[in-house]
Amino acid sequence: GSQYELDAHGMVMSESDSMTLPEGMPLVTGFRVTAVHVGQTLSLRSQKQMDIYCQLLSELSLQEYADEVTEINLSDTENLYLITQEGISVRMGAKVGAIRTYIAYFRQLGTDSGVLDVSIPEDGKFMPER
């Protein structure tokens, strides 16, 4: 396997055989890749995946929350999820600000694993891991 480093616009910045992630960068999974060339935008089967990737990274950066996310899964654009540093799986559909609010609350409670569904931001649901 190879690992590719992308910028916030989907440009392939580098290729590596190492599976160690650069510090502060989330692992992005689920892309349906058709071609990869360093110095060019990643070529995908679904432009929607790239649009969502760019929007999500932009929002994470604006909210200064990118360091809190370890993985983003884009395999199903209708059912996105990300995983926080604590290991909480967040089903997307909400703005990053809503996620920050819920995760801050869980930190206060000492909750460190489970699934947070914020596909409807004003009606977040949390299911702790058993």
Side-chain angles (χ1 to χ4, degrees):
S2 293
Q3 174 175 278
Y4 299 94
E5 185 177 337
L6 305 179
D7 71 3
H9 306 287
M11 174 77 67
V12 181
M13 304 304 290
S14 65
E15 177 181 2
S16 171
D17 292 334
S18 169
M19 289 293 114
T20 303
L21 290 175
E23 187 70 30
M25 292 187 128
L27 172 66
V28 179
T29 59
F31 275 140
R32 292 186 182 96
V33 179
T34 56
V36 181
H37 302 286
V38 174
Q40 295 181 6
T41 302
L42 187 66
S43 181
L44 304 174
R45 289 187 187 138
S46 168
Q47 182 58 41
K48 186 173 182 179
Q49 278 187 318
M50 184 58 72
D51 293 344
I52 290 170
Y53 166 81
C54 293
Q55 290 169 4
L56 184 55
L57 284 193
S58 174
E59 185 69 20
L60 287 169
S61 177
L62 283 171
Q63 294 280 336
E64 298 179 0
Y65 204 68
D67 290 347
E68 300 296 324
V69 176
T70 59
E71 182 178 342
I72 300 169
N73 185 292
L74 300 170
S75 59
D76 180 355
T77 57
E78 301 302 318
N79 191 22
L80 305 176
Y81 72 87
L82 57 82
I83 299 175
T84 67
Q85 291 269 347
E86 291 83 10
I88 295 175
S89 177
V90 181
R91 292 183 185 151
M92 294 296 293
K95 298 250 182 225
V96 173
I99 296 165
R100 286 181 66 181
T101 301
Y102 283 108
I103 297 299
Y105 176 69
F106 294 139
R107 282 185 183 148
Q108 289 177 353
L109 296 176
T111 302
D112 61 3
S113 64
V115 175
L116 172 62
D117 184 345
V118 288
S119 52
I120 303 172
E122 59 278 354
D123 188 29
K125 293 179 176 45
F126 180 72
M127 291 137 307
E129 209 169 77
R130 295 178 188 191

